[in-house]
């Protein structure tokens, strides 16, 4: 008996030692960079040019209503007058009426081109909340150190920030070694079919193979990742796909005074409930796993202990992550039942009932796999499961975290944002960059802005704004990126 007890204690001590040693050795060094003098940016002038761009309500509407057409034309005129050097030196093509593709030819024939992208369109302002804005959404106000308005972050600061950096480089006669493309779509918020899809197809037809694409996506997250003190620059290396499925039940109708045991509504409700209780399995791999490899070492001791010993704690970690909606979205294909319909009158049995569920598909899963899972989870032949609508997208490939383009991006971020950690990231929404699959091996999604917990709701919400100083920093980032990517002889 004593021997057994002794053996158990020895085992526990050995386990504790292994956990501790792993924790103490746990670390992923952030790349060391030389901090240079930050490039001079006329922040106030740049803010004024951005503010002016926010006065054009470039809400893309199918059917091209005159109002939105005028807004895009006004924006284009503003860009041409605000960035004269860009418009003199770069070739500018208008694609599908409103999208813009600028080409800045490189000086070295063999150098693979790079592409920076952003989108001109903005989401509409909900009329119910329009009066809640501190500064009207399309007035281009500058106050309290911020530029206010719809599109300030998402994503005219990207369009104009990239053009500011290019204009500055042209001013000092910079000639890129590789060709630089600037691509600004006009319908990102509606799926990008007319804009990014067309631009990518144009490049594909011309046989262009890009070194990398940079689009919006992850931000410099400050105080957003639980337990992580320093700001973390999150570079999206993958984005989720999506599909909508309809669940439909059809039964005989009749008078509600003599109902069967189950109505169409009851059958559907049971199916929806089963669907919610059986989501697609959660797993920590791919981009989310790579993110924790990078940020884990910055966690408090308990967090480091757990993440340094995933061989033991993985199931526990996955369960913990899945409990919070933001993290859950990074570790599984999510299920959201968004529409429920059934019945026409209180005393008539419904002959049909339907639900629509929106799935965001994690890389590694597929639309086919989601449909199989849904049919199995519901396990009821009376419920017909079909694709709803024709807009769907498979998850993107996962871009490399060891490619030269990744290292370039990582270094550039660390140079411009001193003290931040850089980590890969799983983007849970859809961006225009997914359309560049096949034109570029590496697609990265990073918005060079520091965002805190208070800022997240402003994007697509009320009081969207960007700090003037933060915007200047974004311009420095694009400037540095172009220098690092395109200086001859690198
Ligand atoms: Zn956007």
């Amino acid at each position: 008996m004593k021997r057994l007890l002794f053996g158990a204690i020895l085992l526990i001590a050995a386990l504790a030692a292994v956990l501790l040693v792993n924790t103490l050795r746990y670390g992923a060094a952030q790349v060391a960079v030389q901090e240079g003098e930050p490039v001079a940016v006329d922040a106030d002038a740049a803010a004024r040019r951005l503010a002016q761009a926010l006065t054009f309500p470039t809400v893309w509407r199918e059917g091209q209503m005159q109002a939105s057409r005028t807004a895009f034309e006004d924006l284009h005129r503003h860009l041409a007058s605000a960035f004269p050097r860009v418009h003199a030196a770069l070739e500018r093509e208008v694609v599908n009426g409103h999208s813009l593709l600028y080409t800045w030819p490189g000086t070295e024939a063999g150098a693979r081109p790079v592409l920076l992208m952003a989108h001109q369109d903005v989401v509409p302002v909900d009329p119910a909340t329009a009066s809640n804005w501190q500064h009207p959404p399309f007035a281009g106000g500058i106050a309290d150190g911020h530029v206010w308005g719809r599109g300030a972050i998402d994503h005219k600061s990207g369009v104009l920030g990239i053009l500011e950096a290019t204009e500055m480089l042209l001013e000092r006669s910079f000639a890129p070694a590789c060709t630089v493309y600037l691509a600004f779509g006009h319908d990102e918020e509606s799926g990008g079919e007319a804009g990014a899809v067309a631009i990518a197809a144009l490049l594909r037809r011309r046989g262009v193979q890009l070194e990398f694409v940079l689009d919006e996506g992850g931000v410099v997250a400050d105080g957003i990742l639980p337990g992580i003190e320093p700001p973390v620059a999150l570079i999206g290396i993958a984005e989720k796909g999506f599909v909508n499925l309809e669940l439909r039940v059809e039964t005989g109708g009749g008078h509600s005074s003599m109902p069967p045991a189950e109505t169409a509504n009851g059958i559907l409700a049971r199916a929806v409930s089963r669907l919610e209780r059986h989501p697609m399995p959660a797993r920590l791999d791919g981009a989310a796993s790579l993110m924790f490899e990078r940020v884990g070492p910055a966690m408090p001791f308990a967090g480091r202990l757990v993440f340094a010993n995933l061989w033991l704690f993985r199931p526990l970690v996955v369960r913990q992550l899945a409990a919070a909606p933001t993290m859950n979205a990074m570790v599984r294909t999510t299920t959201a039942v968004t529409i429920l319909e059934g019945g026409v009158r209180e005393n008539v049995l419904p002959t049909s009932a339907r639900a629509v569920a929106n799935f965001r598909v994690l890389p590694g899963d597929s639309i086919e796999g989601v449909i199989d899972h849904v049919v199995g989870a519901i396990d009821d032949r009376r419920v017909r499961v079909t694709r709803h609508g024709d807009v769907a997208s498979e998850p993107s490939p996962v871009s490399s975290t060891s490619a030269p383009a990744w290292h370039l991006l990582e270094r550039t971020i660390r140079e411009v944002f001193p003290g931040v950690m850089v980590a890969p990231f799983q983007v849970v929404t859809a961006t225009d960059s997914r359309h560049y699959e096949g034109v570029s091996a590496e697609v990265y999604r990073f918005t060079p802005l520091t965002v805190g917990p208070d800022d997240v709701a402003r994007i697509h919400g009320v009081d969207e704004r960007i700090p003037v100083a933060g915007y200047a920093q974004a311009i420095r980032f694009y400037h540095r990126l172009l220098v690092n990517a395109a200086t001859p002889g690198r």
Side-chain angles (χ1 to χ4, degrees), residues 191-446:
E193 290 298 318
V197 169
I199 296 173
L202 189 67
L203 295 175
R204 206 171 285 125
R205 275 202 301 282
R206 291 175 184 170
V208 172
Q209 264 300 318
L210 299 163
E211 176 77 8
F212 70 87
V213 165
L214 180 70
D215 193 11
E216 62 179 343
V219 293
V220 180
D222 193 3
I224 290 179
L225 294 181
I228 313 275
E229 193 63 40
V232 184
L234 298 168
I235 304 175
I237 56 170
E239 70 185 59
K240 294 176 90 173
F242 60 89
V243 65
N244 296 308
L245 297 182
E246 185 188 71
L247 321 181
R248 184 178 281 276
V249 180
E250 266 154 11
T251 57
H255 199 283
S256 64
S257 57
M258 290 168 292
E262 286 175 294
T263 62
N265 284 345
I267 296 166
L268 181 69
R270 178 173 170 278
V272 166
S273 166
R274 287 183 66 93
L275 194 58
E276 288 194 339
R277 274 188 289 122
H278 299 96
M280 295 279 287
R283 57 193 151 77
L284 184 57
D285 62 7
S289 167
L290 291 170
M291 179 180 89
F292 283 111
E293 266 174 37
R294 286 303 190 90
V295 302
M299 287 180 180
F301 182 79
R304 288 207 307 279
L305 177 82
V306 167
F307 279 95
N309 292 285
L310 280 177
W311 62 273
L312 181 63
F313 295 120
R314 184 177 290 270
L316 185 83
V317 167
V318 171
R319 211 167 38 237
Q320 276 290 319
L321 291 173
T326 49
M327 287 296 158
N328 185 47
M330 292 181 64
V331 296
R332 70 150 45 98
T333 294
T334 52
T335 305
V337 179
T338 47
I339 297 175
L340 265 184
E341 280 172 6
V344 289
R345 238 185 103 97
E346 56 273 20
N347 61 353
V348 175
L349 294 174
T351 53
S352 82
R354 68 186 275 267
V356 176
N358 175 253
F359 297 85
R360 299 299 177 123
V361 189
L362 193 67
D365 292 341
S366 68
I367 291 174
E368 266 321 298
V370 171
I371 295 174
D372 285 349
H373 173 86
V374 168
V375 171
I378 293 172
D379 191 23
D380 186 340
R381 284 197 179 168
R382 297 170 297 177
V383 183
R384 200 154 51 90
V385 178
T386 54
R387 291 266 288 261
H388 173 74
D390 41 33
V391 193
S393 174
E394 293 284 357
S396 76
V398 180
S399 295
S400 166
T401 53
S402 57
W406 166 271
H407 294 302
L408 177 88
L409 207 52
E410 185 178 25
R411 179 159 59 87
T412 305
I413 293 170
R414 299 260 300 156
E415 284 169 350
V416 179
F417 296 90
V420 307
M421 301 176 70
V422 177
F425 176 60
Q426 171 67 58
V427 175
V428 300
T429 54
T431 74
D432 258 356
S433 67
R434 71 184 188 279
H435 303 306
Y436 282 82
E437 198 185 316
V439 190
S440 180
E442 313 304 344
V443 175
Y444 298 111
R445 303 155 186 88
F446 174 65

Side-chain angles (χ1 to χ4, degrees), residues 119 121 154-155 188-189 216 460:
H119 61 89
D121 59 314
D154 188 12
H155 189 209
E188 192 269 352
E189 302 290 359
E216 62 179 343
H460 287 208

